[in-house]
Amino acid sequence: MRRDLPAGRHEARRAHLMSELSAPRRSFRSRAYRRRVVFGGLAAGGLAAGVAVAVVVPAGSGHRAPALVNVGATEVLTRASRAAAARPDLRPRPDQFLYVESRVYQRPGPDPKVEPGQAGVRRAWQSIDGRRAGLVRGSGVSGVGGGAGSWLCTGSEALRRREIAAIRKGRDLRVDLAHPPTGCRDEPARLSGMPTGVEGMRRWLYERSRGSNPPDVQAFVTVGDSIRERYVEPRTLSLLFAAAARVPGVTVTRGVTDMVGRKGVAVGQTWQGVRHELVFDARTYAYLGEREVVDLRSTWRPAGASPSPSPSGRVGALGEHGALVYASAEVRVAVTDRAGQLPR
């Protein structure tokens, strides 16, 4: 996933480019990050468990025994799947941009000087085909370009030259919307080539997962990674939520309020004391966003996981049970013709 540079990494990026000024000429592949952040009113909903009934279903992949699946989570994700299928298709062209406006919050890290935390409004323009420079702007969000913003453009020699020139002059790179960098080679904002059935999508979540978490954990994480600031066609989004219902360890949190005050219901999974949740509208089951909350009470352990310390012993590192770590509430999703252009 692309990410804009998080707090603390702008200086590392600057130092890296400075070292290149005196280094022998070599091929360069720039790195861009799409920071995962959330919006915060900081009022994390309690981790009230939903329906605790479970049923045994076949794993289907042959890599593990039958798994317990929470019926409450299955019901919520099934309704979310139906709501996703009914969404209008924006039908973006390859030369357009996906515009996502969200309210975001991220708790400060262990070293606030490196990770000072973030809270505010985030606006991102992601290139549909990945070949044009995207843009991210933040209001009150540390580590996200404020004002004119920051380019999202991986692998651009033109952008690299601009960055080095700005460093030589001792100033930040100026974002000129009339002259975006060229030669970008980013991951397309449009998710394509996806399976067309629920079981195929479930296999895709396991096979395409990237990370060191246990398979069941990484599969659920991949759902959020696949839809965050991406354009997912209604049919594909519907299948993703239906497939998520078949991932073990997913349960319901009811009575959730997102960062813009919308009432929701969340489905999530806890691993190593942190619960990753997808939040849906409590009435329509439309997707609202995501969040991470400290959960020191979960007893679920994914298959294949190595023994780890009890989460209750990590209070100092994680914070109190129920504390909000990260949240993102999507406010508007649209398609624009240019990066920096606000939708009508």
Side-chain angles (χ1 to χ4, degrees), residues 1-6 9 13 28-35 126 151-155 159 163 185-187:
M1 297 290 291
R2 292 170 300 188
R3 302 181 186 272
D4 52 288
L5 291 172
R9 299 210 183 163
R13 169 78 167 152
F28 178 85
R29 181 176 179 83
S30 67
R31 299 176 64 194
Y33 299 81
R34 186 194 294 172
R35 177 72 180 232
Q126 307 285 354
W151 291 117
L152 299 177
C153 180
T154 301
L159 180 58
E163 290 176 322
R185 298 191 298 274
D186 285 302
E187 183 180 4

Short mmCIF file of all heavy atoms in Angstrom, two decimals, residues 1-6 9 13 28-35 126 151-155 159 163 185-187:
data_model
loop_
_atom_site.label_atom_id
_atom_site.label_comp_id
_atom_site.label_asym_id
_atom_site.label_seq_id
_atom_site.Cartn_x
_atom_site.Cartn_y
_atom_site.Cartn_z
N MET A 1 0.84 -1.19 0.00
CA MET A 1 0.00 0.00 0.00
C MET A 1 0.87 1.24 0.00
O MET A 1 1.88 1.31 0.68
CB MET A 1 -0.86 0.03 1.28
CG MET A 1 -1.82 -1.12 1.37
SD MET A 1 -3.14 -0.98 0.17
CE MET A 1 -4.01 0.43 0.84
N ARG A 2 0.45 2.28 -0.76
CA ARG A 2 1.15 3.53 -0.71
C ARG A 2 0.82 4.25 0.58
O ARG A 2 -0.28 4.21 1.06
CB ARG A 2 0.73 4.42 -1.89
CG ARG A 2 1.18 3.92 -3.20
CD ARG A 2 0.52 4.72 -4.28
NE ARG A 2 -0.93 4.59 -4.18
CZ ARG A 2 -1.77 5.06 -5.08
NH1 ARG A 2 -1.33 5.70 -6.13
NH2 ARG A 2 -3.07 4.91 -4.94
N ARG A 3 1.77 4.97 1.12
CA ARG A 3 1.51 5.78 2.30
C ARG A 3 2.29 7.07 2.17
O ARG A 3 3.45 7.06 1.78
CB ARG A 3 1.94 5.06 3.57
CG ARG A 3 1.25 3.71 3.76
CD ARG A 3 1.69 3.07 5.05
NE ARG A 3 1.15 1.74 5.17
CZ ARG A 3 -0.03 1.46 5.70
NH1 ARG A 3 -0.79 2.42 6.16
NH2 ARG A 3 -0.46 0.23 5.78
N ASP A 4 1.65 8.20 2.52
CA ASP A 4 2.41 9.42 2.57
C ASP A 4 3.32 9.37 3.78
O ASP A 4 3.07 8.65 4.72
CB ASP A 4 1.49 10.64 2.65
CG ASP A 4 0.49 10.52 3.76
OD1 ASP A 4 -0.43 9.71 3.59
OD2 ASP A 4 0.63 11.21 4.79
N LEU A 5 4.40 10.12 3.78
CA LEU A 5 5.40 10.02 4.83
C LEU A 5 4.83 10.38 6.18
O LEU A 5 4.34 11.49 6.37
CB LEU A 5 6.58 10.94 4.51
CG LEU A 5 7.43 10.50 3.32
CD1 LEU A 5 8.42 11.59 2.98
CD2 LEU A 5 8.15 9.21 3.62
N PRO A 6 4.90 9.47 7.16
CA PRO A 6 4.40 9.77 8.49
C PRO A 6 5.35 10.69 9.24
O PRO A 6 6.48 10.92 8.82
CB PRO A 6 4.32 8.39 9.17
CG PRO A 6 5.33 7.58 8.46
CD PRO A 6 5.35 8.09 7.04
N ARG A 9 9.45 10.84 9.42
CA ARG A 9 10.13 10.27 8.27
C ARG A 9 10.46 11.31 7.21
O ARG A 9 11.22 11.05 6.30
CB ARG A 9 9.29 9.16 7.66
CG ARG A 9 9.06 8.04 8.64
CD ARG A 9 8.90 6.72 7.97
NE ARG A 9 8.62 5.69 8.92
CZ ARG A 9 8.12 4.51 8.58
NH1 ARG A 9 7.86 4.25 7.32
NH2 ARG A 9 7.89 3.60 9.49
N ARG A 13 13.82 11.20 5.20
CA ARG A 13 13.82 11.31 3.74
C ARG A 13 14.78 12.40 3.28
O ARG A 13 15.54 12.25 2.33
CB ARG A 13 12.38 11.63 3.28
CG ARG A 13 12.25 12.05 1.83
CD ARG A 13 12.30 10.86 0.93
NE ARG A 13 11.88 11.21 -0.40
CZ ARG A 13 12.30 10.59 -1.49
NH1 ARG A 13 13.17 9.60 -1.38
NH2 ARG A 13 11.87 10.93 -2.67
N PHE A 28 17.30 5.27 -8.98
CA PHE A 28 16.59 5.68 -7.78
C PHE A 28 15.14 5.29 -7.86
O PHE A 28 14.50 5.48 -8.88
CB PHE A 28 16.70 7.21 -7.63
CG PHE A 28 15.95 7.75 -6.45
CD1 PHE A 28 16.51 7.78 -5.20
CD2 PHE A 28 14.65 8.22 -6.61
CE1 PHE A 28 15.81 8.28 -4.11
CE2 PHE A 28 13.95 8.74 -5.53
CZ PHE A 28 14.53 8.76 -4.28
N ARG A 29 14.67 4.73 -6.79
CA ARG A 29 13.24 4.40 -6.71
C ARG A 29 12.72 5.03 -5.43
O ARG A 29 13.02 4.57 -4.34
CB ARG A 29 13.02 2.89 -6.68
CG ARG A 29 11.53 2.51 -6.62
CD ARG A 29 11.36 1.01 -6.69
NE ARG A 29 9.99 0.62 -6.60
CZ ARG A 29 9.14 0.61 -7.61
NH1 ARG A 29 9.57 0.99 -8.80
NH2 ARG A 29 7.90 0.23 -7.46
N SER A 30 11.98 6.11 -5.55
CA SER A 30 11.49 6.82 -4.37
C SER A 30 10.43 5.99 -3.66
O SER A 30 9.81 5.12 -4.25
CB SER A 30 10.91 8.18 -4.75
OG SER A 30 9.74 8.01 -5.51
N ARG A 31 10.24 6.29 -2.40
CA ARG A 31 9.25 5.59 -1.62
C ARG A 31 8.20 6.58 -1.17
O ARG A 31 8.51 7.67 -0.73
CB ARG A 31 9.89 4.95 -0.38
CG ARG A 31 10.96 3.93 -0.74
CD ARG A 31 11.62 3.40 0.50
NE ARG A 31 10.67 2.67 1.32
CZ ARG A 31 10.93 2.34 2.57
NH1 ARG A 31 12.04 2.67 3.15
NH2 ARG A 31 10.02 1.68 3.27
N ALA A 32 6.94 6.20 -1.27
CA ALA A 32 5.84 7.04 -0.78
C ALA A 32 4.98 6.18 0.12
O ALA A 32 4.84 4.99 -0.08
CB ALA A 32 5.02 7.59 -1.93
N TYR A 33 4.40 6.79 1.11
CA TYR A 33 3.60 6.05 2.07
C TYR A 33 2.21 6.65 2.14
O TYR A 33 2.04 7.84 2.09
CB TYR A 33 4.22 6.15 3.48
CG TYR A 33 5.61 5.58 3.57
CD1 TYR A 33 6.72 6.31 3.16
CD2 TYR A 33 5.81 4.29 4.06
CE1 TYR A 33 7.99 5.78 3.24
CE2 TYR A 33 7.09 3.76 4.14
CZ TYR A 33 8.16 4.51 3.74
OH TYR A 33 9.42 4.00 3.82
N ARG A 34 1.23 5.80 2.28
CA ARG A 34 -0.13 6.26 2.57
C ARG A 34 -0.37 5.97 4.03
O ARG A 34 -0.65 4.85 4.41
CB ARG A 34 -1.15 5.54 1.70
CG ARG A 34 -2.55 6.11 1.88
CD ARG A 34 -3.58 5.20 1.30
NE ARG A 34 -3.44 5.12 -0.12
CZ ARG A 34 -4.12 4.26 -0.87
NH1 ARG A 34 -4.95 3.43 -0.32
NH2 ARG A 34 -3.95 4.22 -2.16
N ARG A 35 -0.23 6.99 4.86
CA ARG A 35 -0.34 6.78 6.29
C ARG A 35 -1.75 6.38 6.67
O ARG A 35 -2.71 7.02 6.27
CB ARG A 35 0.02 8.09 7.02
CG ARG A 35 -0.12 8.03 8.55
CD ARG A 35 0.97 7.17 9.18
NE ARG A 35 0.81 7.12 10.61
CZ ARG A 35 1.77 7.41 11.48
NH1 ARG A 35 2.94 7.78 11.05
NH2 ARG A 35 1.57 7.32 12.76
N GLN A 126 -5.93 10.03 -5.04
CA GLN A 126 -5.14 8.88 -5.49
C GLN A 126 -5.38 8.65 -6.97
O GLN A 126 -6.53 8.62 -7.43
CB GLN A 126 -5.53 7.63 -4.69
CG GLN A 126 -5.48 7.79 -3.18
CD GLN A 126 -4.06 7.80 -2.62
OE1 GLN A 126 -3.10 7.57 -3.36
NE2 GLN A 126 -3.93 8.04 -1.32
N TRP A 151 3.04 15.62 -2.54
CA TRP A 151 2.81 14.73 -3.68
C TRP A 151 2.83 13.27 -3.25
O TRP A 151 3.62 12.88 -2.38
CB TRP A 151 3.85 14.95 -4.77
CG TRP A 151 3.78 16.26 -5.48
CD1 TRP A 151 4.74 17.24 -5.50
CD2 TRP A 151 2.70 16.74 -6.29
NE1 TRP A 151 4.31 18.31 -6.26
CE2 TRP A 151 3.07 18.03 -6.77
CE3 TRP A 151 1.46 16.23 -6.67
CZ2 TRP A 151 2.25 18.79 -7.59
CZ3 TRP A 151 0.63 16.99 -7.48
CH2 TRP A 151 1.02 18.25 -7.94
N LEU A 152 2.01 12.46 -3.89
CA LEU A 152 2.05 11.01 -3.76
C LEU A 152 2.49 10.47 -5.11
O LEU A 152 1.71 10.37 -6.05
CB LEU A 152 0.67 10.45 -3.39
CG LEU A 152 0.07 10.92 -2.07
CD1 LEU A 152 -1.33 10.34 -1.89
CD2 LEU A 152 0.96 10.54 -0.90
N CYS A 153 3.76 10.16 -5.23
CA CYS A 153 4.31 9.78 -6.53
C CYS A 153 5.56 8.94 -6.32
O CYS A 153 6.61 9.45 -5.93
CB CYS A 153 4.63 11.03 -7.34
SG CYS A 153 5.33 10.73 -8.98
N THR A 154 5.44 7.65 -6.55
CA THR A 154 6.55 6.73 -6.37
C THR A 154 7.32 6.54 -7.68
O THR A 154 6.72 6.45 -8.75
CB THR A 154 6.02 5.35 -5.90
OG1 THR A 154 5.31 5.53 -4.68
CG2 THR A 154 7.16 4.37 -5.68
N GLY A 155 8.65 6.48 -7.56
CA GLY A 155 9.48 6.15 -8.71
C GLY A 155 9.69 7.27 -9.70
O GLY A 155 10.10 7.01 -10.84
N LEU A 159 10.40 14.08 -9.62
CA LEU A 159 10.13 14.49 -8.25
C LEU A 159 11.41 14.45 -7.42
O LEU A 159 11.65 15.33 -6.58
CB LEU A 159 9.06 13.58 -7.63
CG LEU A 159 8.68 13.89 -6.18
CD1 LEU A 159 8.19 15.32 -6.02
CD2 LEU A 159 7.62 12.90 -5.69
N GLU A 163 13.04 17.50 -5.20
CA GLU A 163 13.32 17.38 -3.77
C GLU A 163 14.76 17.77 -3.45
O GLU A 163 15.03 18.49 -2.48
CB GLU A 163 13.04 15.95 -3.31
CG GLU A 163 11.56 15.58 -3.29
CD GLU A 163 11.33 14.13 -2.93
OE1 GLU A 163 12.11 13.27 -3.35
OE2 GLU A 163 10.34 13.87 -2.22
N ARG A 185 4.96 5.74 -10.66
CA ARG A 185 4.68 4.30 -10.82
C ARG A 185 4.07 3.78 -9.52
O ARG A 185 4.68 2.99 -8.79
CB ARG A 185 5.96 3.54 -11.18
CG ARG A 185 6.58 3.96 -12.49
CD ARG A 185 7.68 3.00 -12.93
NE ARG A 185 8.78 2.97 -11.97
CZ ARG A 185 9.80 3.82 -11.97
NH1 ARG A 185 9.85 4.80 -12.87
NH2 ARG A 185 10.77 3.71 -11.09
N ASP A 186 2.87 4.25 -9.24
CA ASP A 186 2.20 3.88 -8.00
C ASP A 186 1.23 2.73 -8.22
O ASP A 186 0.85 2.41 -9.34
CB ASP A 186 1.44 5.09 -7.45
CG ASP A 186 2.35 6.12 -6.82
OD1 ASP A 186 3.09 5.76 -5.90
OD2 ASP A 186 2.33 7.28 -7.27
N GLU A 187 0.80 2.17 -7.11
CA GLU A 187 -0.26 1.17 -7.15
C GLU A 187 -1.55 1.88 -7.55
O GLU A 187 -1.89 2.92 -6.99
CB GLU A 187 -0.43 0.54 -5.77
CG GLU A 187 -1.44 -0.57 -5.69
CD GLU A 187 -1.53 -1.14 -4.30
OE1 GLU A 187 -0.87 -0.62 -3.38
OE2 GLU A 187 -2.28 -2.12 -4.13
#
